[in-house]
Amino acid sequence: KVPLMRDEECVEFPADQSTITIRFATEGIQFMEQSVQEGKPFFLYLANSMPHTPLYASPQFAGKSKRGLYGDVIEEIDFNTGRVLDRIKELGIEDNTIVVFTSDNGPWLIKGEDGGSALPLFEGKMTCFEGGQRVPAIIKWPGKIPAGSVCEEIALSMDLFPTFAHITGAQIPRDMEPDGKVIIDLLTAKEGATTPHEYFFYGTSAVRSGDWKYHAQEH
């Protein structure tokens, strides 16, 4: 029994969670359309509630995947991500729009079939092993990011803020020191580009540096 909010207004209670994936995408598309109509640049942060548990899929996708309910949810997210990408192209802004598709953490393994999988990585969410920390990241920027390029260097979601500021020329307040680094060379697959991070700490349990990793916890 959770509310569905628009700014500070409750538009539905309890929210019909089987509809929110498509409704979030539709709201995002409308926001993009309005921004383009008004001639304004925009930043759209589309954070799907799924596949966080409890899982819900709309009638259009429920029972359609061989992977069960989790698969239904993933296919619905995939479909609605396609709606957003299609609309970006239709609006004529594809070449001037950066799209990032990623996640915040690994799968919630204690949820079993409803929790996803990080294989072949070990473990999942709420751990400092690779399966809990490493997530897929797909970034699209036609004409700037070479199609099919793959980056094997360490980059963090917190790198997006200073990188986007660098790309757009936005001024970061002088009293703010971002935790992330500018990774424009990694994004554009510049030859010889390496991560700007000397170390990456997994909380206080592990640390990576180059090809090395130290982990205080046995498995």
Side-chain angles (χ1 to χ4, degrees):
K1 294 184 178 181
V2 295
L4 182 63
M5 306 291 294
R6 179 181 288 109
D7 299 323
E8 297 181 0
E9 175 191 4
C10 178
V11 297
E12 185 176 286
F13 181 82
D16 181 354
Q17 296 194 64
S18 68
T19 68
I20 57 176
T21 298
I22 188 170
R23 291 165 75 178
F24 283 2
T26 298
E27 191 84 6
I29 290 170
Q30 292 173 347
F31 169 72
M32 294 192 305
E33 291 173 340
Q34 182 178 349
S35 299
V36 172
Q37 185 178 5
E38 296 175 355
K40 297 178 179 179
F42 64 85
F43 173 79
L44 171 63
Y45 176 55
L46 177 54
N48 286 295
S49 295
M50 305 297 143
H52 196 288
T53 57
L55 300 178
Y56 294 88
S58 69
Q60 181 181 355
F61 290 91
K64 301 297 176 62
S65 167
K66 294 180 181 180
R67 177 57 172 78
L69 179 57
Y70 189 91
D72 298 341
V73 167
I74 296 300
E75 289 190 5
E76 184 156 22
I77 292 173
D78 181 68
F79 174 81
N80 283 285
T81 300
R83 290 179 59 216
V84 173
L85 293 175
D86 288 346
R87 194 66 185 121
I88 289 173
K89 189 172 185 178
E90 292 163 358
L91 290 170
I93 57 173
E94 184 179 29
D95 291 344
N96 198 34
T97 301
I98 304 172
V99 177
V100 179
F101 186 88
T102 188
S103 183
D104 55 350
N105 49 246
W108 206 357
L109 298 182
I110 62 172
K111 295 295 182 178
E113 286 295 307
D114 287 349
S117 171
L119 291 176
L121 303 179
F122 179 71
E123 265 292 350
K125 178 178 179 176
M126 293 187 286
T127 76
C128 290
F129 293 105
E130 296 296 287
Q133 301 286 327
R134 291 178 62 180
V135 296
I138 304 171
I139 304 179
K140 179 176 182 286
W141 189 12
K144 302 292 185 179
I145 298 178
S149 60
V150 176
C151 177
E152 297 183 352
E153 296 290 316
I154 289 180
L156 319 176
S157 56
M158 66 182 70
D159 294 332
L160 296 176
F161 169 56
T163 301
F164 289 164
H166 171 81
I167 292 171
T168 61
Q171 295 297 314
I172 297 176
R174 292 182 179 179
D175 59 349
M176 177 187 294
E177 185 176 353
D179 293 317
K181 307 288 187 181
V182 174
I183 56 170
I184 185 66
D185 289 347
L186 299 185
L187 289 187
T188 55
K190 183 177 180 179
E191 187 175 356
T194 58
T195 178
H197 296 281
E198 185 176 0
Y199 302 101
F200 174 56
F201 290 91
Y202 297 63
T204 57
S205 298
V207 59
R208 277 185 63 175
S209 180
D211 293 334
W212 294 89
K213 180 176 180 181
Y214 168 78
H215 207 299
Q217 181 180 350
E218 295 182 359
H219 63 82

